[in-house]
Amino acid sequence: MSEKTRKNGKTKAPAQRKALSANRKNGLFSAGMIALVVAVVIIFNIAMSQLPTAYTQLDISNTQIYSMSDTTKEYMEALDTDVELLVLASEDDTDTRISTFLRKFAALSDHVTLTYKDPTEYPSLLTEYDCDADSIMVLCDATGNQTNVDFDDILVLDWYYYYYYGTTSYSEFDGEGQLVSAIDQVVSDSSYTIYLTTNHGESSLGSEVTDLLTKSHFGTAEVSLLMEDLPEDCDVLLINQPTSDITSEELEIIRDYLASGGQVELILASQDFDHPNLDALMADYGLEMVDGYVGDESRYMAASQSYFVFFPELDTSSDAADGLSSDSLVLIYGSYAGYALGMTTTDLEDDTIDLDTFLTTSDYGIAVVDENNYTEGEFILAATATQTITVESEDEDADSSDTEAETSDTEAEDDDSASSSDTEAEEDDEEEDAEITSRFTVYSCAALLDDDINASYGDSIVNLQVFMNNLTAGFEEVSSISIASKSLEVTYNTSTNAGMWSLLYVAVLPLACLALGFFRWMKRRKL
C-alpha cells in the first residue's frame, strides 16, 4: 500500500466515524420525535374523549335538530335538581337522531344523567314504570315525581305520507320541547286544569296551542255550566269562540268565580250575533264591543293587499310580551280563519280593576260594517283586567276575637292592659284579611290561535307566545317554557329571480371571459 493510500485511509476513517455518529443521532432524534408526536396525539385524543359531547360534535344536520335554543340552555344552566333520563331501549337500536340528541342534551347540565336499559334484558322495568318500550322515563328522586316521553312524541310520524305512500317518514323533531317540559314537570310538581265551556257552539282548541299547554303542565276538560257547578279544581275557565250567548245563570256563576279570585279567558268568535250577557260580563271590566270587522290601514301585510291581514301593536310592558321585543310580530289574518272584532274601553268606577290592553291596532285602525259604514281610530284586540279583592275574616272569627277582647277587659287590672288587649285583637283581625287577584282576559281575534296560520308562519310570528305568556302570568309556579318542534322537511335553495341569474351565468360571464381573452391575445400579438 502506497504512502498516499495510507494517508488517505487515515484521513477518511475519522470522517466516516463522525458521519455514522451523526446519522445515529439524527435517527434517534427522528425516532424520539415520532414517539413524542404519537404520544401527544394519543393524549390529545384521550383528553378530547373526556370533553362533553356538546363541544366535540358539530350539528351538521340539515334542520339543525341538535342545536339547542337559548331557552333550553338557560333552563338547563339554572337547573339545580338531579334528574335521570332512563331510556328504555337498546342504545344500538335507538334512532341515531334521538340518541345523538340525548347525549348533547344531557351534556348541558351536571344535574342530568343519561342511562340506557334494554327492556329485553330488564322486562320488569316496563311494569315498574307502567310504560312502553322505546320511551324515556324522566325521574326526579328529590320530588319523587316521574313522567314518560315516548319516542313517537320526539320523532313525529308524517301520517299523510305514510297513508298515501306506504313508507315511514317523519315530519317533526320535538326533542327539546318534550324533554324540557318533562324535566320542568318532575322538578316543579305543579299542574293545573283548564275547563272549556260547552253548549254554546264553542270551538275546540287547535293542536298547536294544546301542545304548548301540555308542555306547560295544563290539562284540559269540559264543563257545561247549564248542567253542573263549576268544578273546584278549575284553575282557568276558557270560553272559546261561542256562537251563542251564555245564559243569565251562567253569567252569575262566572261572576262568582271571578269574585273568588278565578281566571277566565274569553275568545270571541268572528260571527256577528247578539250576546247581551257576554257584553254585560265585559262591561264589568270596562270593555265594550264595536260594530264591524277590524283592520289596520297602516300595519297591514303588504303581500296580502288587505287591511284585515295586519300586525297589531304589542305592549311590551305587559305580561303577555314577556321575553319579546318591540320587533316581535303578532299576525291577525282576517280571512278564512275569521275576521277580527274590535273593542273600546268604558269608564270604570271600580278602582280595584286594572285594565291592560296589550294588543291594539294603530291609530289608523278601521272598523268596517260595510263600504258606506265604517269607523276609524284605535281599537283593542286583546285585554286583561285584573282585580284585587280583599277577603275579610269570617264573622265567627271576628265574634270570637271580640269575646276574647271583652274577657281581657274584665280581667284586666288597669285600663292600659285592656287597651293593649283590644289592640292585639284588632291586629289579629287584620292579619286574617287576605288579598286575592282575579284575571279576566278577552281576545276579539279568533285567528290568533289558528293552527294553519301559526304553522305557516312559524317563528316569524309570536301569536302563541303572547297567548301562553298572558295565561301563565296568573300562576306564580308555572313557567311559560314552551319550545316549538323543528321541521324535518328538506329545505331546497331556490332563486327568487332565476331568469336574471341564468342570464348572468349562461351569457354575461362567458362573453366577458371571451372578451378578456381576445383583448389579451391582441395585446400579446402586437408584441
Side-chain angles (χ1 to χ4, degrees):
M1 184 178 291
S2 64
E3 185 72 19
K4 184 176 180 180
T5 302
R6 287 195 298 271
K7 289 180 179 180
N8 289 341
K10 291 179 181 179
T11 56
K12 288 181 179 179
Q16 291 175 349
R17 286 195 294 272
K18 289 181 180 180
L20 290 173
S21 177
N23 288 337
R24 290 192 187 95
K25 291 180 180 180
N26 289 336
L28 291 173
F29 179 77
S30 298
M33 289 301 297
I34 291 173
L36 179 62
V37 170
V38 171
V40 169
V41 170
I42 293 174
I43 294 174
F44 178 77
N45 286 332
I46 294 174
M48 290 297 293
S49 66
Q50 301 302 313
L51 293 176
T53 307
Y55 301 105
T56 59
Q57 293 184 1
L58 300 178
D59 186 3
I60 58 175
S61 61
N62 181 64
T63 53
Q64 298 292 292
I65 60 176
Y66 308 128
S67 298
M68 307 297 171
S69 64
D70 292 338
T71 302
T72 297
K73 292 177 181 178
E74 292 172 3
Y75 181 84
M76 296 299 284
E77 287 177 2
L79 185 65
D80 57 1
T81 306
D82 291 340
V83 175
E84 180 184 6
L85 302 181
L86 177 60
V87 186
L88 299 174
S90 169
E91 185 172 5
D92 295 334
D93 296 334
T94 301
D95 189 289
T96 306
R97 288 166 290 189
I98 294 178
S99 59
T100 302
F101 174 81
L102 287 174
R103 288 196 299 271
K104 296 179 72 68
F105 182 83
L108 294 176
S109 174
D110 294 335
H111 291 281
V112 176
T113 57
L114 178 63
T115 309
Y116 281 84
K117 288 290 183 68
D118 189 349
T120 58
E121 298 180 14
Y122 305 94
S124 61
L125 290 177
L126 301 182
T127 304
E128 178 183 350
Y129 294 115
D130 190 22
C131 63
D132 298 325
D134 295 332
S135 63
I136 305 167
M137 287 300 304
V138 183
L139 310 170
C140 180
D141 290 337
T143 61
N145 295 330
Q146 63 183 43
T147 189
N148 181 263
V149 178
D150 198 274
F151 283 2
D152 291 338
D153 294 330
I154 296 177
L155 270 176
V156 181
L157 184 66
D158 187 340
W159 290 103
Y160 177 88
Y161 195 92
Y162 177 78
Y163 283 132
Y164 278 86
Y165 300 101
T167 56
T168 300
S169 177
Y170 297 99
S171 59
E172 297 177 359
F173 187 88
D174 196 17
E176 277 188 86
Q178 293 293 335
L179 289 179
V180 171
S181 174
I183 291 176
D184 188 55
Q185 180 178 345
V186 298
V187 300
S188 64
D189 194 23
S190 61
S191 60
Y192 297 90
T193 304
I194 299 176
Y195 277 91
L196 288 79
T197 61
T198 59
N199 301 124
H200 300 287
E202 293 92 341
S203 299
S204 59
L205 291 175
S207 60
E208 294 280 337
V209 69
T210 300
D211 182 52
L212 293 181
L213 288 172
T214 302
K215 290 178 179 178
S216 295
H217 321 313
F218 282 94
T220 58
E222 293 184 346
V223 62
S224 172
L225 298 180
L226 292 172
M227 301 174 62
E228 58 184 308
D229 294 331
L230 192 62
E232 293 183 359
D233 65 338
C234 177
D235 298 299
V236 180
L237 181 65
L238 177 58
I239 310 171
N240 186 31
Q241 304 176 54
T243 55
S244 64
D245 197 14
I246 60 175
T247 65
S248 57
E249 290 80 9
E250 290 174 300
L251 175 60
E252 292 306 314
I253 292 174
I254 296 173
R255 281 172 168 168
D256 291 341
Y257 175 62
L258 286 168
S260 64
Q263 181 164 333
V264 175
E265 302 263 332
L266 170 60
I267 304 175
L268 294 170
S270 60
Q271 290 92 333
D272 187 16
F273 64 95
D274 292 332
H275 39 70
N277 288 321
L278 286 175
D279 289 339
L281 180 61
M282 288 186 284
D284 290 345
Y285 296 90
L287 294 171
E288 183 179 49
M289 299 297 299
V290 299
D291 295 331
Y293 296 121
V294 170
D296 199 311
E297 297 177 298
S298 172
R299 295 175 60 86
Y300 66 92
M301 182 186 289
S304 70
Q305 293 298 305
S306 171
Y307 293 151
F308 300 106
V309 181
F310 63 99
F311 303 99
E313 294 183 346
L314 173 64
D315 183 2
T316 55
S317 64
S318 68
D319 293 330
D322 183 33
L324 303 176
S325 66
S326 58
D327 296 331
S328 302
L329 294 176
V330 175
L331 175 60
I332 304 301
Y333 206 106
S335 62
Y336 67 92
Y339 290 90
L341 305 175
M343 299 178 288
T344 57
T345 58
T346 60
D347 293 334
L348 268 175
E349 297 181 359
D350 192 342
D351 57 3
T352 63
I353 296 177
D354 182 26
L355 187 62
D356 174 22
T357 57
F358 57 90
L359 281 182
T360 64
T361 66
S362 68
D363 293 336
Y364 298 94
I366 182 171
V368 180
V369 177
D370 55 52
E371 60 182 13
N372 298 318
N373 184 8
Y374 59 88
T375 306
E376 296 179 328
E378 181 185 79
F379 300 100
I380 301 167
L381 299 165
T384 294
T386 56
Q387 183 177 20
T388 302
I389 304 167
T390 301
V391 180
E392 297 181 355
S393 59
E394 297 181 1
D395 293 337
E396 293 180 0
D397 294 339
D399 293 339
S400 176
S401 298
D402 293 338
T403 302
E404 291 176 2
E406 291 175 0
T407 303
S408 299
D409 291 341
T410 303
E411 296 178 351
E413 295 180 356
D414 51 40
D415 293 338
D416 292 337
S417 61
S419 60
S420 175
S421 300
D422 291 338
T423 303
E424 290 178 358
E426 291 176 359
E427 290 177 354
D428 290 340
D429 289 344
E430 292 177 358
E431 288 177 359
E432 290 177 359
D433 292 346
E435 289 187 348
I436 57 177
T437 302
S438 66
R439 291 174 61 89
F440 176 59
T441 301
V442 182
Y443 294 92
S444 63
C445 42
L448 184 79
L449 303 181
D450 184 79
D451 271 354
D452 292 335
I453 294 174
N454 286 292
S456 298
Y457 290 91
D459 295 337
S460 60
I461 60 176
V462 295
N463 292 22
L464 296 178
Q465 290 92 317
V466 168
F467 176 79
M468 291 301 301
N469 283 345
N470 185 72
L471 176 67
T472 56
F475 301 92
E476 295 181 358
E477 298 180 358
V478 177
S479 69
S480 58
I481 296 176
S482 53
I483 304 169
S485 59
K486 296 180 180 179
S487 174
L488 292 177
E489 294 181 3
V490 178
T491 303
Y492 297 98
N493 292 327
T494 57
S495 176
T496 55
N497 296 295
M500 181 186 69
W501 290 107
S502 298
L503 179 65
L504 175 65
Y505 288 109
V506 174
V508 177
L509 290 179
L511 289 175
C513 292
L514 287 174
L516 180 62
F518 181 77
F519 175 77
R520 292 288 297 172
W521 173 75
M522 288 294 294
K523 186 175 181 180
R524 292 175 64 88
R525 184 170 177 273
K526 293 178 181 180
L527 297 177

